[in-house]
Amino acid sequence: MTRLRLWHAFFRPAFVLALPLLLILQLSGSALALTDDQTLVVDVWRLVNESYVDPSFSGVPWRRLRQKALEKTISNRGDAYDAIDAMLAPLDDPYTRLLRPESYGQLEAATKGTVSGIGLQLGIHHDSGSVVVIAPVEDSPAAEAGLVDGTLLRSINGQATSELGLDGSAALLRGDSGSSVHLEVTLPDGEEQSLDLERRAIDLRPVRSRRLRSGDHTLGYLRINQFSEPVPEAVQEALADLEAKGIEGLVLDLRNNTGGLVSAGLAVADDFLAGDVIVETQDRNGINEQRPANGGRLFDGPMLTLINGGTASASEILAGALQDNDRSQLLGSTSFGKGEIQTLLPLGDGSGLAVTVARYLTPNGRAIQGQGLEPDEPLSSTEPSGSSIGSDDDAWLRSAEEALITQLEA
């Protein structure tokens, strides 16, 4: 899953887990001091216990799971990781998970826009729990091979993704440039394919923009592929450049934007909304908190927004805010529907823990999880894919241009 961003750091805690605390438990009738590896298991249990979005754990006996984990033989760090995986599994939440040091490091690198692999962004299917393609990265080996959103990823190098899980699948897709990976997939139309793809450095280029000339009108086109750390500044620069070219309106393209850092998505929302509510979050105590935009707008002209099945999480927050505040209509197809927020907690040994800590709602109180956003104007023409997105051959972009011109001339 090169550049999977289905964890979202709504909070970015600065602390590192390293508790030099000597804990004593009664195991098999004798008092035993915990080893460092056992302490890691207890620390993870505590973090989830304190922050998981559902304090009832949906009936899962969470306290008992700590004891069961420590009853296992934990003589090294690998045993500890396995015990943590087993402890988290009953939550049935694929986004609350342990990331081993390699996966954690790769994920951190992805937030800064650097990655090497085949360019697949992965998620979990709402109904089946299968690993599916949310979107390929443009100009990547996966895009060139014709893999599209909704593709079921069955196996990687002979290993079933049902056993690998989300992070295990993502880790196998990444690798050194020039190396190859074997995939077994099922396309959305049911066709099964066997593919060998060569990994390479992926240029994520999260922000792209250009001026559009349509008749007598000058429009701006702004595409955001993901929400990583450089995005807010890049968006501001792109908008300033477009406005200097005298654009009358803007087409914002969030197609195949699977999310990323929620903080980056909120910063971009500030550019378009003046004091309006961007999102409402609901924490583990059922408390709803609204996050308003800043007072001014960087761009206040007419705009339309393109979405599709690859639009997920942080990009759904932005799209939902624009729609609910009547700032921009949405065109395209129903978005993915990921309405939960994860915080990423670094652990002292180089691994990390992703925990679902909140659910988000649109400003009007609409739930996104498992439902997605419905466009104001569905586009029925063949959906562009790969390098055709944003090009002169992009039929959806042409439809958005025509709709924006109609809005300008009304």
Side-chain angles (χ1 to χ4, degrees):
M1 165 202 75
T2 303
R3 243 311 300 126
L4 171 68
R5 299 297 306 141
L6 285 188
W7 66 269
H8 296 82
F10 191 79
F11 312 100
R12 294 302 300 261
F15 63 88
V16 174
L17 288 182
L19 299 182
L21 193 61
L22 190 63
L23 301 178
I24 305 296
L25 291 182
Q26 291 292 328
L27 296 177
S28 303
S30 61
L32 298 175
L34 295 183
T35 66
D36 289 343
D37 296 319
Q38 290 173 320
T39 297
L40 181 66
V41 177
V42 174
D43 288 344
V44 168
W45 180 92
R46 179 182 56 80
L47 285 168
V48 175
N49 187 60
E50 293 174 352
S51 59
Y52 190 64
V53 65
D54 181 3
S56 74
F57 295 95
S58 299
V60 173
W62 184 241
R63 292 187 177 277
R64 170 60 182 154
L65 290 182
R66 177 181 61 177
Q67 183 68 21
K68 288 183 64 177
L70 291 173
E71 288 171 355
K72 301 177 182 294
T73 300
I74 301 177
S75 56
N76 53 52
R77 194 48 49 97
D79 290 342
Y81 292 157
D82 291 342
I84 292 170
D85 287 339
M87 183 171 64
L88 297 176
L91 294 179
D92 197 26
D93 177 355
Y95 300 113
T96 294
R97 64 208 191 274
L98 175 75
L99 294 97
R100 286 160 171 77
E102 181 181 5
S103 295
Y104 178 69
Q106 291 171 337
L107 193 54
E108 283 285 276
T111 68
K112 296 175 174 58
T114 59
V115 74
S116 176
I118 63 169
L120 275 183
Q121 302 175 90
L122 303 181
I124 299 295
H125 192 277
H126 303 305
D127 299 324
S128 65
S130 303
V131 177
V132 296
V133 175
I134 297 181
V137 176
E138 187 173 332
D139 299 327
S140 68
E144 293 165 0
L147 297 180
V148 298
D149 60 276
T151 297
L152 172 65
L153 188 57
R154 302 198 312 273
S155 70
I156 305 170
N157 289 341
Q159 299 186 56
T161 57
S162 59
E163 298 177 1
L164 289 169
L166 199 58
D167 290 302
S169 299
L172 276 188
L173 292 179
R174 306 184 192 104
D176 296 333
S177 295
S179 62
S180 63
V181 61
H182 180 76
L183 307 180
E184 297 289 339
V185 304
T186 302
L187 299 179
D189 62 6
E191 178 187 353
E192 295 187 353
Q193 288 189 358
S194 178
L195 304 169
D196 288 290
L197 301 181
E198 184 176 303
R199 301 181 181 95
R200 65 172 184 247
I202 305 298
D203 181 7
L204 296 175
R205 288 186 61 194
V207 178
R208 308 178 189 215
S209 63
R210 64 186 178 102
R211 179 177 59 181
L212 304 172
R213 292 290 299 173
S214 188
D216 296 330
H217 295 281
T218 300
L219 308 176
Y221 173 72
L222 176 65
R223 183 177 176 196
I224 307 175
N225 294 325
Q226 67 169 99
F227 289 108
S228 55
E229 289 179 6
V231 164
E233 183 177 353
V235 167
Q236 291 180 6
E237 292 174 355
L239 288 174
D241 179 66
L242 290 172
E243 290 213 90
K245 294 175 179 176
I247 65 170
E248 303 165 70
L250 178 73
V251 176
L252 174 64
D253 195 343
L254 297 178
R255 288 175 293 176
N256 291 351
N257 182 329
T258 58
L261 298 178
V262 172
S263 57
L266 296 176
V268 171
D270 283 331
D271 296 334
F272 300 111
L273 299 167
D276 300 309
V277 173
I278 299 174
V279 67
E280 183 175 296
T281 60
Q282 185 178 70
D283 66 15
R284 62 187 273 127
N285 299 314
I287 298 174
N288 288 15
E289 181 178 352
Q290 294 183 333
R291 199 291 199 178
N294 292 331
R297 294 177 182 171
L298 190 60
F299 177 78
D300 60 2
M303 61 185 295
L304 292 174
T305 303
L306 287 166
I307 64 171
N308 68 355
T311 304
S313 200
S315 59
E316 288 177 297
I317 288 178
L318 175 56
L322 295 173
Q323 186 180 46
D324 279 8
N325 287 297
D326 296 322
R327 180 68 181 90
S328 171
Q329 288 192 330
L330 307 184
L331 280 66
S333 58
T334 306
S335 63
F336 182 76
K338 183 179 183 295
E340 295 179 332
I341 297 169
Q342 284 74 43
T343 184
L344 187 62
L345 306 170
L347 304 176
D349 68 335
S351 61
L353 178 68
V355 184
T356 300
V357 295
R359 299 184 176 96
Y360 66 77
L361 309 173
T362 70
N364 289 347
R366 292 182 293 154
I368 299 297
Q369 181 66 27
Q371 302 179 44
L373 298 170
E374 295 294 335
D376 298 286
E377 183 180 332
L379 298 179
S380 57
S381 56
T382 301
E383 181 175 351
S385 62
S387 60
S388 66
I389 295 180
S391 72
D392 292 336
D393 297 325
D394 186 341
W396 281 26
L397 178 54
R398 290 199 303 271
S399 295
E401 289 181 55
E402 293 168 1
L404 188 54
I405 290 172
T406 298
Q407 183 177 334
L408 289 170
E409 296 178 346

